[in-house]
Amino acid sequence: MYALLKKISVARVGVLIALILLINAFELLGLSLFIPIIDLFQSKGGVTSGLTQTMLNFLSALGLPAVLPTFLVLLSLLFLVKGGLIMWMRHISVKMAAEIQNQLRSVLFHDFLEARTDFINGHKQGALLSVLSEHTVRTGQAFFTLIQVVAQWVTVLAYLSFVLWISWKLTVTALVMGAGAAPIIRWMGRQAHQHGKDYTQALEETQHRALEGLQAKKLVNAMNWGGALERRFREGSGAVRHHWQWMAFWSNSPGIVIQPISVIILSLIIWFSLYFDLSVAFLGAFALAFTRLLPNVQSVISMGADFQANKPSVDRVFGLLEAAAAASEPTGKGDFHGMQRCIKLEGVRYRYPGREPVLNGLDLIIAKGQTVALVGPSGSGKTTIADLILGLYRPEAGRVMIDNIDLAELELRRYRERIAYVSQEAVLFHDTIRSNLILGLEWSVGDDELRAACEKAGAWEFIAQRSGGLDAIIGDRGVQLSGGQRQRLALARALLRRPEILILDEATSALDHESEQWITQMLCDLQASGRFTIIVIAHRYTTIQHADHIYEIRSDGARSLGNWEQAKAYLVRESHALAIS
């Protein structure tokens, strides 16, 4: 956590502390000025206390008129300067809180991107979004509140010092009476904290439900799920409303409760002061200081309750920061200059948590420049092999070798620069076609290269027909395009990476016949160039007929079937048997 907070400017913290001390010094000086003001006003110029005489002598030494108007002018100037200092302090503290929010969001998102895939998959997406948005804001608010609490506590201590100086007996009497309210205030703080914690959980759950419903909008309408999802959302939203209501109520209640208690205490103190030997000036200064002390005590208590209400968000943010950092994707340090010979999986064993091994002693060789197809029943581990080659997972046993170098020893970022991956569902963003195509590229790409890649992937025709062409917005997840168009854009994006290794994971399984034929022809062209090592995972056999080598993947290993001519009879027979069963 707290490494992040170290990034806050030490100089700025120093300025903040200095301002807090200076503001309170001005406050005490201002309160002290009320004693000679009351004395001079009451005695019509006479002196009734040693403090007043000392101040008059000080003004004379400075060459200032030792009269009542001088004190009034000094008092006004003091509070004007103090007001300016308070504004400066508030500006610094708000700026620091805003910077903390920004840093938290940035670090969280960075750690999410750097974390292992299973870490993200193990959390509700709506909850992660809630932490990035709502909880980082509340954490910044908690930090701002903490600064204000510190400042208010210093002010309270300054006022206490002043009233103790005037009459320690009256001050102790007031503190003893005020202590009776402490248990009530602590109970209210606990209520605010508990409802803040429940609010945090309810908000995450509700945002996740909303995200799920919006992502499945087409299916929701088609299956008439709207009513059921709306009921679920309303239940969650009702819980958010309930906990926010009581969190807000209890976080503001302590200040309200303390006000009448403070007035009662002040009334009793004024009554008790009749039994103490205090001049009117000192009693007036005591009463003034006490009346200024009460709002600060009220603020400290209210802000403390606010902090308790926001603390669950602070805990959630920093807890997730630590968890994401601990789940950082492991990577080696070895440089990668390109594959020279082959990808080799040796005795690879992998299991997903709580399941039987999906791969158990797998051996597989993919030679450079070859097109290799992986076939087999669903759940046999084909996609897992792709994930292992991508370095998304590490095998439980065995090794993934690139030219006899363990993938675990290579720097994944450099290694992945040479890979392009196209999944069954094309991932596109709410942006222009151009931005989606060049996403992640570290070199500039001109329109000619963009067009060449799009033509090779069969995407240029529909791009040219759209208003705006490459600069047309395609909507969230590319919703304004058909499935085939989205997949062709994904292939064009893969080609623009200039990869050495191209992995197609069921990339044609949801496409129409025309799109599939176009992509199959593209693969043939890429294969003929000899510049690509292509790994095709497929259930449809039309996309693997030109593969150099076909492997059947099963839980007990990989069975070599040779090329299409050698494997065709077996695959057709297996497909027929599966269809009958």
Side-chain angles (χ1 to χ4, degrees):
M1 160 176 182
Y2 304 97
L4 179 70
L5 298 182
K6 290 179 182 177
K7 297 180 180 179
I8 300 171
S9 170
V10 175
R12 195 177 297 166
V13 173
V15 170
L16 196 61
I17 294 172
L19 283 173
I20 292 173
L21 295 175
L22 192 58
I23 287 167
N24 283 281
F26 274 47
E27 181 70 23
L28 289 177
L29 185 57
L31 287 173
S32 300
L33 286 175
F34 275 100
I35 295 174
I37 287 173
I38 296 173
D39 267 347
L40 292 173
F41 184 80
Q42 185 183 25
S43 63
K44 307 299 182 182
V47 177
T48 59
S49 72
L51 177 64
T52 302
Q53 184 60 54
T54 299
M55 289 190 172
L56 289 172
N57 293 337
F58 182 71
L59 289 180
S60 298
L62 294 176
L64 297 174
V67 293
L68 177 63
T70 304
F71 285 102
L72 294 175
V73 171
L74 287 175
L75 182 67
S76 300
L77 289 175
L78 272 175
F79 277 86
L80 278 173
V81 174
K82 177 193 160 191
L85 293 175
I86 290 174
M87 291 297 292
W88 187 12
M89 182 189 75
R90 186 172 180 83
H91 170 73
I92 292 175
S93 56
V94 168
K95 186 174 182 179
M96 289 172 66
E99 287 177 354
I100 284 179
Q101 287 183 28
N102 180 56
Q103 287 180 10
L104 286 173
R105 277 192 296 269
S106 299
V107 173
L108 269 172
F109 191 63
H110 173 269
D111 286 355
F112 288 169
L113 294 179
E114 293 296 317
R116 299 190 309 271
T117 305
D118 60 322
F119 173 81
I120 300 299
N121 292 340
H123 288 78
K124 294 179 179 179
Q125 305 302 298
L128 296 181
L129 291 176
S130 179
V131 171
L132 279 171
S133 54
E134 173 76 9
H135 295 324
T136 52
V137 171
R138 295 184 68 200
T139 299
Q141 290 172 344
F143 179 79
F144 176 70
T145 300
L146 190 60
I147 294 174
Q148 300 303 307
V149 167
V150 171
Q152 293 288 354
W153 264 117
V154 173
T155 302
V156 167
L157 291 174
Y159 283 131
L160 279 175
S161 301
F162 185 77
V163 294
L164 278 168
W165 172 68
I166 292 178
S167 174
W168 68 268
K169 294 179 181 179
L170 279 180
T171 304
V172 171
T173 302
L175 290 175
V176 170
M177 288 188 290
I184 300 173
I185 302 303
R186 283 198 299 268
W187 181 81
M188 289 181 172
R190 287 195 296 269
Q191 292 297 311
H193 176 74
Q194 183 58 50
H195 283 289
K197 185 176 180 180
D198 294 338
Y199 166 76
T200 297
Q201 295 173 349
L203 181 67
E204 289 182 6
E205 181 64 28
T206 303
Q207 289 195 346
H208 182 68
R209 289 179 180 180
L211 181 65
E212 286 182 324
L214 294 175
Q215 287 180 336
K217 181 65 173 68
K218 182 176 179 180
L219 191 59
V220 167
N221 285 16
M223 299 294 287
N224 200 26
W225 289 345
L229 291 181
E230 185 175 0
R231 283 192 297 273
R232 288 178 59 198
F233 182 81
R234 285 182 179 275
E235 289 174 5
S237 183
V240 172
R241 177 200 61 78
H242 171 77
H243 292 302
W244 183 90
Q245 169 188 325
W246 288 108
M247 177 188 71
F249 176 81
W250 290 118
S251 64
N252 289 286
S253 294
I256 298 172
V257 171
I258 201 68
Q259 189 174 41
I261 295 174
S262 301
V263 172
I264 293 171
I265 293 173
L266 178 61
S267 301
L268 290 172
I269 285 175
I270 294 174
W271 174 262
F272 289 149
S273 68
L274 298 175
Y275 300 96
F276 297 96
D277 186 20
L278 285 179
S279 68
V280 174
F282 275 89
L283 179 60
F286 186 95
L288 178 62
F290 199 83
T291 54
R292 294 182 67 81
L293 171 64
L294 293 181
N296 285 279
V297 172
Q298 183 177 345
S299 294
V300 166
I301 293 171
S302 295
M303 289 178 182
D306 284 341
F307 181 81
Q308 287 296 322
N310 285 324
K311 190 173 181 297
S313 287
V314 178
D315 295 338
R316 183 72 169 123
V317 167
F318 285 105
L320 203 52
L321 268 174
E322 292 176 4
S328 180
E329 192 175 53
T331 182
K333 296 182 178 180
D335 204 356
F336 181 70
H337 300 288
M339 185 172 69
Q340 304 301 318
R341 294 183 297 277
C342 67
I343 301 170
K344 183 188 297 184
L345 283 74
E346 296 180 342
V348 168
R349 174 188 173 92
Y350 187 83
R351 79 168 76 223
Y352 294 98
R355 293 167 55 182
E356 291 297 315
V358 64
L359 299 175
N360 197 358
L362 177 84
D363 293 309
L364 180 66
I365 297 178
I366 301 171
K368 179 181 179 178
Q370 280 197 340
T371 295
V372 173
L374 306 180
V375 299
S378 296
S380 60
K382 303 183 297 297
T383 295
T384 303
I385 292 173
D387 291 342
L388 289 167
I389 293 173
L390 285 164
L392 298 176
Y393 302 123
R394 283 190 174 181
E396 183 179 299
R399 298 185 298 175
V400 178
M401 309 290 289
I402 312 295
D403 295 336
N404 293 323
I405 301 174
D406 195 329
L407 180 55
E409 298 176 7
L410 295 177
E411 184 183 355
L412 287 178
R413 189 179 300 277
R414 294 296 303 274
Y415 168 67
R416 288 172 182 164
E417 289 174 356
R418 308 295 185 99
I419 299 178
Y421 174 72
V422 181
S423 60
Q424 180 177 353
E425 183 178 354
V427 176
L428 298 173
F429 299 91
H430 186 92
D431 208 331
T432 64
I433 292 175
R434 182 192 305 276
S435 295
N436 273 280
L437 289 172
I438 64 175
L439 182 66
L441 298 183
E442 297 181 357
W443 58 88
S444 60
V445 179
D447 285 357
D448 291 341
E449 187 175 354
L450 286 172
R451 176 169 181 168
C454 292
E455 286 178 341
K456 188 173 291 185
W460 183 252
E461 183 177 351
F462 72 80
I463 291 174
Q465 292 173 355
R466 294 183 67 86
S467 175
L470 288 168
D471 296 312
I473 300 291
I474 57 175
D476 189 29
R477 293 174 294 154
V479 70
Q480 296 181 16
L481 304 176
S482 69
Q485 290 172 338
R486 289 195 293 271
Q487 202 68 326
R488 293 185 190 195
L489 270 188
L491 285 165
R493 179 171 60 194
L495 295 178
L496 284 166
R497 289 177 63 86
R498 307 168 190 169
E500 293 184 17
I501 303 168
L502 175 62
I503 301 176
L504 305 179
D505 187 359
E506 300 283 4
T508 64
S509 62
L511 300 184
D512 58 82
H513 180 70
E514 180 185 354
S515 296
E516 184 181 28
Q517 288 295 109
W518 189 286
I519 291 173
T520 300
Q521 183 57 51
M522 183 201 72
L523 291 177
C524 291
D525 295 341
L526 295 178
Q527 181 183 14
S529 71
R531 295 188 295 108
F532 299 88
T533 300
I534 304 173
I535 302 171
V536 182
I537 297 172
H539 279 105
R540 291 184 182 181
Y541 296 149
T542 50
T543 53
I544 66 171
Q545 293 180 9
H546 298 281
D548 298 303
H549 211 105
I550 300 171
Y551 287 96
E552 183 185 28
I553 306 301
R554 295 189 177 274
S555 60
D556 57 351
R559 178 184 178 186
S560 175
L561 302 179
N563 59 27
W564 173 249
E565 290 301 322
Q566 296 167 322
K568 178 170 59 175
Y570 171 78
L571 292 175
V572 171
R573 185 169 63 252
E574 286 292 303
S575 297
H576 181 66
L578 184 62
I580 293 176
S581 63

